[in-house]
């Protein structure tokens, strides 16, 4: 086989499918976004100003929640939610290992201990039956992650949390714009957390949000993002007062007006962004439907994913290559694949805390097989076609 043969993998000296790398995710910024930020830069407010409250109001309306509290990252949102839930030393919180570490780290920040429930094999969402088996007298809350953009089984998780007196926190950082039984993500748990990192559905550069219908949670969230202080400087200015009190130990997790202006502009395009993500996912679904060496994650009929990620699992029994080899071959074709995620408790820090392999066998097996393909709204049909072409090329060569 000659080196210029289109079937020769780039990793073996052939020509790549693309000449430039296609990342797995990327922000979509237009002139309206830029103007919104510039307008704030020319205003009297740069940090906590009127755009914060406007962004919170619009976001709450968008997801159907009563209260929204903006913070400076998705991680800060998780920390704030854990704090508002009253998690502290001696408390256990059931979380999923198939997530970014922040979903469990927020429990550690508050002095609690994460307990990991396993995932469903076909969706990689937190398995309610595994959660139920992990509930103990020390359990205070459940943190459910809407992995890749598909909502968890919130009816089952809410039933569990109600039966055991637990607080249900939805980590919906992957799922802005998704629905569960025709209900919007943001209305399904006691508190719901979102991220506005550049690869997410909308971006504020860095940023996050916690939404809730509980006024007590909202008050605690607002204070926590501002050092635990009960009134911010705008309230004091309006009242002509200098006095404030720090009632609890909080953090500086405020999101500046600059970022909120970008968020407001991006929010107007959310429906368009989610629709495009779904179009790309549908193209992938169709292209990979009959490939024995690969299968896409299952999508439940009662849910509509907003597709933050498009994750496939390799059927390694049908390949003469490892996941690492497939990953490297796709990268050589200039397809910016990734892996989401290493099980949280496999990380060295968690090993030091006494966690070890074998806790969640379904998640661990999945980790060895998963690959994330590029998916973001600015991808063209040609970009999507390049991904499909590269996947088929690599798996054809590596198939037994």
């Amino acid at each position: 086989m000659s080196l210029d043969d289109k079937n020769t993998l780039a990793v073996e000296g052939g020509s790549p499918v693309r000449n430039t790398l296609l990342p797995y995710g990327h922000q979509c910024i237009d002139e309206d976004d830029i103007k919104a930020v510039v307008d704030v830069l020319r205003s009297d407010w740069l940090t906590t100003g009127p755009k914060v409250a406007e962004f919170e109001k619009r976001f709450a309306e968008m997801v159907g929640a009563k209260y929204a509290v903006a913070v400076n990252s998705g991680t800060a949102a998780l920390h704030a939610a854990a704090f508002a839930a009253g998690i502290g030393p001696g408390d256990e919180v059931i979380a999923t290992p198939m997530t970014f570490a922040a979903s469990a780290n927020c429990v550690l920040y508050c002095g609690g201990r994460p307990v990991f429930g396993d995932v469903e094999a076909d969706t990689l969402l937190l398995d309610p039956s595994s959660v139920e088996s992990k509930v103990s007298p020390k359990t205070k809350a459940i943190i459910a992650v809407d992995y890749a953009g598909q909502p968890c089984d919130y009816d089952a998780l809410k039933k569990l949390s109600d039966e055991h007196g637990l607080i249900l926190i939805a980590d919906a950082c992957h799922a802005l714009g998704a629905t569960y039984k025709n209900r919007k993500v943001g209305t399904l748990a006691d508190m719901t957390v979102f991220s506005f990192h550049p690869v997410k559905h909308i971006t504020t550069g860095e940023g996050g949000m916690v939404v809730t219908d509980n006024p007590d949670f909202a008050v605690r969230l607002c204070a926590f993002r501002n050092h635990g202080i009960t009134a911010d400087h705008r309230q004091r200015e309006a009242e002509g007062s200098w006095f404030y009190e720090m009632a609890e130990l909080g953090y500086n997790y405020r999101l500046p007006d600059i970022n909120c202006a970008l968020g407001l502009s991006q929010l107007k395009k959310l429906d368009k962004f989610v629709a495009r993500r779904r179009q790309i996912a549908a193209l992938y679904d169709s292209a990979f439907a009959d490939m024995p060496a690969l299968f896409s994650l299952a999508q439940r009929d009662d849910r509509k994913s907003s597709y933050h990620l498009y994750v496939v699992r390799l059927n390694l029994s049908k390949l003469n290559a490892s996941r690492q080899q497939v990953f490297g071959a796709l990268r050589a074709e200039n397809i910016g694949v990734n892996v989401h995620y290493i099980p949280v408790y496999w990380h060295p820090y968690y090993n030091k805390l006494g966690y070890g392999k074998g806790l969640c066998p379904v998640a661990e097996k999945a980790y060895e097989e998963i690959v994330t393909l590029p998916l973001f709204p600015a991808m063209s049909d040609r970009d999507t076609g390049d991904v499909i072409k590269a996947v088929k090329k690599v798996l054809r060569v590596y198939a037994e």
Side-chain angles (χ1 to χ4, degrees):
M1 186 179 293
S2 63
L3 290 182
D4 59 353
D5 189 320
K6 65 180 181 180
N7 292 318
T8 302
L9 298 181
V11 75
E12 296 173 352
S15 298
V17 165
R18 292 175 58 88
N19 293 325
T20 59
L21 182 71
L22 180 70
Y24 88 87
H26 198 270
Q27 69 270 17
C28 299
I29 301 294
D30 63 17
E31 290 301 318
D32 289 338
D33 297 325
I34 294 169
K35 181 179 183 302
V37 172
V38 170
D39 287 347
V40 169
L41 290 172
R42 289 174 171 153
S43 76
D44 293 332
W45 297 92
L46 294 184
T47 184
T48 309
K51 291 298 179 184
V52 177
E54 185 181 351
F55 185 39
E56 290 172 334
K57 181 176 184 295
R58 296 273 182 87
F59 193 88
E61 291 170 350
M62 175 72 74
V63 303
K66 290 183 180 178
Y67 308 100
V69 178
V71 291
N72 57 19
S73 71
T75 300
L78 283 161
H79 190 186
F83 171 83
I87 294 165
D91 292 330
E92 293 180 350
V93 177
I94 300 173
T96 172
M98 189 57 67
T99 185
F100 185 60
S103 304
N105 289 352
C106 64
V107 179
L108 298 178
Y109 298 158
C110 294
R113 180 173 177 82
V115 174
F116 293 97
D118 214 339
V119 298
E120 300 169 341
D122 57 347
T123 65
L124 304 188
L125 295 169
L126 186 61
D127 185 345
S129 64
S130 181
V131 172
E132 186 169 22
S133 72
K134 302 295 177 74
V135 174
S136 80
K138 295 181 178 180
T139 307
K140 184 74 172 270
I142 300 168
I143 298 177
V145 173
D146 296 334
Y147 180 75
Q150 180 173 204
C152 294
D153 186 348
Y154 280 101
D155 282 354
L157 293 172
K158 193 70 173 74
K159 183 173 182 290
L160 269 174
S161 61
D162 288 345
E163 286 175 352
H164 296 280
L166 309 177
I167 295 169
L168 179 58
I169 299 171
D171 180 343
C173 292
H174 290 191
L176 180 58
T179 60
Y180 172 84
K181 296 184 177 180
N182 296 316
R183 290 179 281 159
K184 291 182 178 180
V185 166
T187 63
L188 306 170
D190 297 307
M191 287 180 277
T192 304
V193 171
F194 296 93
S195 168
F196 308 131
H197 182 276
V199 298
K200 299 301 197 305
H201 300 84
I202 66 169
T203 188
T204 57
E206 284 280 8
M209 190 81 77
V210 189
V211 302
T212 184
D213 286 347
N214 185 312
D216 294 331
F217 286 157
V219 168
R220 284 176 64 81
L221 291 164
C222 286
F224 185 71
R225 68 158 173 205
N226 188 36
H227 302 279
I229 294 171
T230 53
D232 67 28
H233 67 281
R234 287 179 299 161
Q235 292 170 306
R236 295 195 297 273
E237 184 173 308
E239 295 167 359
S241 172
W242 54 266
F243 185 76
Y244 64 88
E245 292 181 312
M246 193 188 93
E248 299 190 79
L249 183 63
Y251 291 77
N252 179 0
Y253 280 162
R254 298 187 299 265
L255 186 65
D257 256 33
I258 297 168
N259 303 72
C260 289
L262 177 57
L264 281 162
S265 181
Q266 288 265 299
L267 202 57
K268 297 174 185 176
K269 299 181 276 279
L270 175 62
D271 289 346
K272 180 178 71 173
F273 287 166
V274 171
R276 179 56 182 160
R277 287 177 177 275
R278 288 172 175 158
Q279 287 175 350
I280 294 169
L283 291 171
Y284 285 159
D285 287 344
S286 177
F288 303 143
D290 298 321
M291 293 182 64
L294 171 152
F295 53 95
S296 305
L297 299 183
Q299 300 295 317
R300 299 285 188 249
D301 291 339
D302 59 359
R303 301 163 218 183
K304 198 168 183 183
S305 176
S306 55
Y307 287 101
H308 164 52
L309 302 173
Y310 193 92
V311 177
V312 296
R313 290 184 70 167
L314 301 175
N315 185 350
L316 295 173
S317 68
K318 301 289 185 182
L319 299 170
N320 56 21
S322 67
R323 192 266 303 271
Q324 181 61 48
Q325 287 174 290
V326 173
F327 182 94
L330 287 168
R331 281 273 177 166
E333 300 293 338
N334 279 320
I335 305 301
V337 291
N338 212 317
V339 172
H340 298 88
Y341 293 92
I342 300 168
V344 172
Y345 57 80
W346 281 17
H347 289 296
Y349 185 81
Y350 279 82
N351 296 160
K352 294 176 188 176
L353 297 179
Y355 296 87
K357 293 186 177 182
L359 291 177
C360 299
V362 178
E364 291 179 18
K365 183 177 187 299
Y367 163 65
E368 303 288 357
E369 301 170 349
I370 54 176
V371 175
T372 302
L373 303 180
L375 194 161
F376 54 94
M379 282 177 60
S380 66
D381 287 348
R382 182 171 181 175
D383 292 332
T384 307
D386 286 343
V387 176
I388 293 167
K389 183 178 178 182
V391 168
K392 290 186 172 183
K393 175 183 177 182
V394 169
L395 295 190
R396 182 171 59 247
V397 171
Y398 285 148
E400 288 185 338

